[in-house]
Amino acid sequence: MGHPVILVTMTTAPLRKDAARNWRRIVEIGRQHVDDGMPIQLNDVARAAAVGVATVYRHFPTPEALLETVATPGLEALVAHAEQALAGNDPWAALRDFLLTVVDAQITDPALPPVFAAPVNALPHTAELKQRLVELSGRLLDRAHGAGVADPEVTKADMLPLMCGVIFAATVHQDAAAARASTARRYLTVLLEGLRKTPD
């Protein structure tokens, strides 16, 4: 399944047509490298994109900047899903469906796990999206707590390591992407059963 490519540049100035075309080609090659499990090396990307090395470095000064750009559509989709979940009427279903979506995204988009795990972000937009996800997921958990449907002892600080544990457990012994996705959803369902409470 292909991944959308969006035009996010290192500056706010619009790109000329040729520069925009080069940008898109570089991001497409970066996407291919990530999907194929290859590390992003900017010199290799330049060669595969048939552009000069200086052109690549002008758009993306580090491999991390290119990786984060590749991951941006996935991050934005998760933010949109969380915002939509908050608009729902069922606090438990909203939290459950959002966490399932996060797990599915991290299993199916190999650009997301390293970006989520990185302690430092190369692009301000990445930092904004990650912070927004933390805020939205916290609000979803708070709402579930308020409705009495989530264990109050499970805090927002607990959720990230718990989700990382699900992803790790699903990927450590699974080769096929479909098997990893199915296993991740099964493990997350077990976690959710432990998190869920019946309202008083």
Side-chain angles (χ1 to χ4, degrees):
M1 182 175 68
H3 298 276
V5 173
I6 63 171
L7 196 61
V8 176
T9 67
M10 300 298 292
T11 68
T12 58
L15 296 175
R16 300 188 317 272
K17 285 185 178 180
D18 58 338
R21 184 172 56 250
N22 288 339
W23 187 96
R24 284 191 294 269
R25 180 59 180 159
I26 293 164
V27 174
E28 287 170 359
I29 295 299
R31 176 82 259 177
Q32 291 174 15
H33 276 58
V34 171
D35 289 343
D36 292 341
M38 300 167 56
I40 290 182
Q41 303 290 342
L42 296 183
N43 287 7
D44 294 341
V45 170
R47 187 160 43 251
V51 299
V53 172
T55 298
V56 175
Y57 278 88
R58 186 159 54 247
H59 290 294
F60 304 101
T62 65
E64 290 78 15
L66 178 52
L67 175 63
E68 290 179 17
T69 302
V70 169
T72 292
L75 292 172
E76 291 182 334
L78 288 176
V79 168
H81 184 95
E83 291 172 341
Q84 184 177 13
L86 278 170
N89 295 324
D90 186 333
W92 176 254
L95 177 63
R96 177 199 63 206
D97 293 347
F98 172 68
L99 294 179
L100 285 167
T101 299
V102 170
V103 163
D104 285 345
Q106 291 211 61
I107 291 293
T108 57
D109 185 351
L112 289 176
V115 170
F116 273 122
V120 178
N121 305 299
L123 303 178
H125 188 51
T126 304
E128 294 167 1
L129 289 171
K130 290 168 67 174
Q131 182 58 38
R132 182 66 174 151
L133 279 171
V134 169
E135 294 170 357
L136 291 169
S137 60
R139 288 171 60 188
L140 287 166
L141 182 60
D142 285 344
R143 199 166 67 134
H145 282 154
V149 295
D151 187 342
E153 294 187 3
V154 178
T155 69
K156 288 178 276 190
D158 295 327
M159 294 308 297
L160 179 58
L162 286 172
M163 294 294 287
C164 289
V166 168
I167 298 296
F168 176 79
T171 56
V172 67
H173 296 304
Q174 300 287 342
D175 295 325
R180 291 197 301 273
S182 175
T183 300
R185 291 178 71 88
R186 188 169 71 253
Y187 289 171
L188 180 58
T189 299
V190 173
L191 186 154
L192 289 169
E193 285 303 312
L195 173 64
R196 189 172 190 177
K197 287 183 68 68
T198 301
D200 295 334

